[in-house]
Amino acid sequence: MMRLIYLFFVYSAIGWILETCAAAFKWKKIVNRGFLNGPLCMIYGSASVLLTMALPGLKYNGFFLFLGSLIYTTVMELIAGKLLEARYHARWWDYSGKKFNFDGYICLSHSLLWGILGVIEIKWLNDIFLRLYDACPGMIRTPVLWILAGLTIVDLLGTDAALSGDKEKVEKYRESNRMIAQFTAAVRERIFNSIENRITKAHPVYEEKGDTVKQKSEIFAQGCGFYKVFWLFLAGALIGDLVETVFCRITLGWWMSRSSVVWGPFSLVWGIGIAMFTLLLYQHRNRSDSFLFVVGTVLGGSFEYFCSVFTEIVFGTIFWDYSKVPFNLMGRINLLYCFFWGIASVIWFRVIYVRISNLIEKIPMLAGKILTWILVIFMTVNIVISGIALSRYQERQDGIPAKYAWQEVIDDHFDDAVMKRIYPKAKGLKERGKAVPKPS
């Protein structure tokens, strides 16, 4: 964990330097190119952490390492741009004037550059920076990282308050930080007094849209906001579980649980994937089938690969293994199933999305909001309990007994028989013959 935090700050600082130098070369003056007030470009740091988690297994496979770096960082840049615009009603960058751009947020030339930088990071830079990290005494590096994390959170909250234009929120934030040490006072003042001017200078394409008066809709979950995306996540999780269950029945000859959680038939990979697809492609849902198929194939395969890596690192468990399927990549994804993602993308937007969206919007406004938050809490608890149960399941496989009362409760309610029924294909890393990842 601390290693990832360290890499986040290192690459955020490097990204800030690169962006500032590029801006100075282009505009003949020094400007702060980061979203934050400090010398950090968070998208570089976030991208480096994502690649460090997802792609270490491709370190010696140059082509797939480049391709994976290109895809993950490009999708992250697209998501970051859309989230910033949704939050502040403004664009921080615009590639509309460049060839082969998508929504003005991403373009081919920058994506190729992201891919090259990702290869450089995974193959060479991470080893160098981590050796420097290991050479620094723990009693120094750990407190420094936590201080940097704290200052970054203060910076982030202050930037958000200033850009949101909520004076009451700004004053409240100032009051809550009066007891912060003096060395953070200058940062705080700059956040509140100069952030808007700095952002405008650093990002000429930044267009404030705060004066636009929004009309409140009387239709629940209209458009593609939080409520709609959450309900689509639930629908996708249910549909995905059903599809996989039927598919396993047809291909394997027996009914198999394909749920990702201990309570209910929910496939989180499908739910998150469909919610992500809808959010990213909502404005392009009426484009050609071939477009949706290609984008769905690439995004779906990349997403499934990351989920495979994530579950191994977090839970020490392998939920699927395609090693025996032709054209697989490290057993995490295979070409046929990537095509399934593409087909699912076309079917989703052409057949299913409109029907489900219309059903969601028929829910009464008040009842819909209350029910949404009840389900949010339920799914959050469900995911947390599932994670704990999976961890204990793996520990029992390794012969580690319960030491605490909560572990005994988990063992009683989710014993090996229950876990095998819910996760029949789950394997420990040792069972597959892989080394268990060491915690960072």
Side-chain angles (χ1 to χ4, degrees):
M1 180 64 178
M2 297 306 296
R3 285 170 175 261
L4 293 178
I5 295 176
Y6 164 76
L7 290 177
F8 168 80
F9 282 114
V10 169
Y11 286 108
S12 292
I14 291 175
W16 180 84
I17 293 172
L18 292 175
E19 289 283 341
T20 301
C21 291
F25 179 79
K26 183 176 181 179
W27 299 320
K28 310 302 181 184
K29 60 181 179 181
I30 299 295
V31 292
N32 184 357
R33 285 287 293 162
F35 169 74
L36 298 178
N37 202 58
L40 299 173
C41 273
M42 293 179 63
I43 191 169
Y44 282 84
S46 301
S48 72
V49 171
L50 175 64
L51 298 186
T52 300
M53 291 178 61
L55 302 180
L58 301 178
K59 182 176 182 179
Y60 301 106
N61 190 325
F63 173 76
F64 284 109
L65 177 59
F66 170 78
L67 186 62
S69 300
L70 182 152
I71 292 172
Y72 283 128
T73 50
T74 298
V75 172
M76 174 172 284
E77 186 175 26
L78 176 61
I79 293 174
K82 286 183 174 292
L83 289 177
L84 285 171
E85 183 173 9
R87 172 61 177 163
Y88 304 114
H89 311 295
R91 277 179 176 260
W92 258 251
W93 61 88
D94 191 353
Y95 301 144
S96 298
K98 296 183 178 293
K99 293 183 178 180
F100 308 111
N101 76 85
F102 183 79
D103 278 355
Y105 286 119
I106 57 176
C107 66
L108 181 60
S109 59
H110 282 70
S111 295
L112 293 174
L113 179 60
W114 276 117
I116 294 171
L117 293 176
V119 171
I120 295 173
E121 175 199 344
I122 300 299
K123 290 184 74 70
W124 297 291
L125 291 184
N126 274 2
D127 290 340
I128 295 173
F129 290 135
L130 289 177
R131 281 200 293 269
L132 293 175
Y133 175 86
D134 292 334
C136 182
M139 61 184 300
I140 295 177
R141 68 193 183 204
T142 301
V144 168
L145 286 176
W146 282 119
I147 290 173
L148 287 175
L151 291 174
T152 301
I153 292 173
V154 171
D155 197 351
L156 181 61
L157 292 174
T159 301
D160 177 75
L163 291 178
S164 66
D166 189 336
K167 295 182 179 181
E168 182 178 350
K169 184 177 179 182
V170 171
E171 291 301 323
K172 181 179 179 180
Y173 186 77
R174 286 190 179 189
E175 183 64 30
S176 67
N177 285 275
R178 291 189 183 280
M179 299 185 66
I180 294 180
Q182 185 175 2
F183 69 90
T184 64
V187 176
R188 187 175 66 248
E189 287 302 314
R190 287 191 61 196
I191 288 174
F192 293 119
N193 296 332
S194 66
I195 186 66
E196 184 174 3
N197 184 53
R198 180 184 63 76
I199 288 289
T200 303
K201 289 182 178 179
H203 301 270
V205 299
Y206 173 84
E207 300 174 357
E208 182 61 50
K209 302 177 183 178
D211 294 335
T212 303
V213 178
K214 289 187 174 182
Q215 298 294 330
K216 289 187 177 180
S217 173
E218 296 181 358
I219 300 175
F220 173 69
Q222 189 175 28
C224 193
F226 166 76
Y227 291 104
K228 177 64 70 60
V229 170
F230 177 76
W231 280 90
L232 291 177
F233 157 76
L234 284 181
L238 286 167
I239 293 172
D241 183 86
L242 175 62
V243 170
E244 290 206 8
T245 300
V246 173
F247 180 79
C248 289
R249 178 65 179 86
I250 295 173
T251 57
L252 301 177
W254 57 290
W255 296 106
M256 177 192 302
S257 169
R258 300 304 297 151
S259 178
S260 304
V261 289
V262 294
W263 296 321
F266 300 103
S267 174
L268 297 183
V269 173
W270 279 81
I272 296 173
I274 285 178
M276 179 184 71
F277 279 26
T278 305
L279 191 62
L280 293 178
L281 301 178
Y282 178 75
Q283 295 177 340
H284 304 272
R285 62 190 183 280
N286 295 321
R287 293 186 64 171
S288 66
D289 291 351
S290 58
F291 171 84
L292 294 175
F293 174 78
V294 172
V295 174
T297 298
V298 173
L299 289 180
S302 304
F303 173 66
E304 188 173 14
Y305 185 96
F306 177 77
C307 288
S308 174
V309 174
F310 180 82
T311 52
E312 284 190 19
I313 294 175
V314 176
F315 304 118
T317 304
I318 298 168
F319 289 92
W320 60 86
D321 184 0
Y322 304 139
S323 298
K324 297 181 181 180
V325 180
F327 305 107
N328 75 85
L329 183 60
M330 300 180 67
R332 302 186 188 281
I333 58 175
N334 67 81
L335 187 59
L336 176 61
Y337 287 10
C338 287
F339 287 157
F340 285 171
W341 279 105
I343 295 171
S345 179
V346 176
I347 295 174
W348 172 252
F349 282 112
R350 291 291 178 263
V351 181
I352 303 175
Y353 169 76
V354 175
R355 291 173 172 79
I356 293 181
S357 178
N358 290 337
L359 287 175
I360 294 172
E361 292 178 3
K362 289 181 179 179
I363 301 174
M365 178 70 74
L366 181 59
K369 290 184 176 182
I370 294 174
L371 184 58
T372 297
W373 286 107
I374 291 175
L375 290 172
V376 166
I377 295 172
F378 166 73
M379 288 303 297
T380 301
V381 174
N382 198 1
I383 293 171
V384 171
I385 295 298
S386 299
I388 294 174
L390 279 167
S391 297
R392 276 301 302 151
Y393 181 41
Q394 184 59 48
E395 288 177 352
R396 290 196 300 271
Q397 304 305 306
D398 296 335
I400 301 176
K403 294 182 179 180
Y404 306 101
W406 66 267
Q407 292 177 322
E408 294 178 356
V409 172
I410 292 294
D411 290 349
D412 290 339
H413 287 81
F414 304 103
D415 57 23
D416 290 354
V418 172
M419 297 301 288
K420 287 179 181 178
R421 176 177 56 81
I422 299 174
Y423 306 107
K425 279 196 170 185
K427 298 179 181 178
L429 299 185
K430 293 181 179 179
E431 186 178 352
R432 183 176 160 182
K434 296 183 67 174
V436 179
K438 295 181 180 180
S440 299

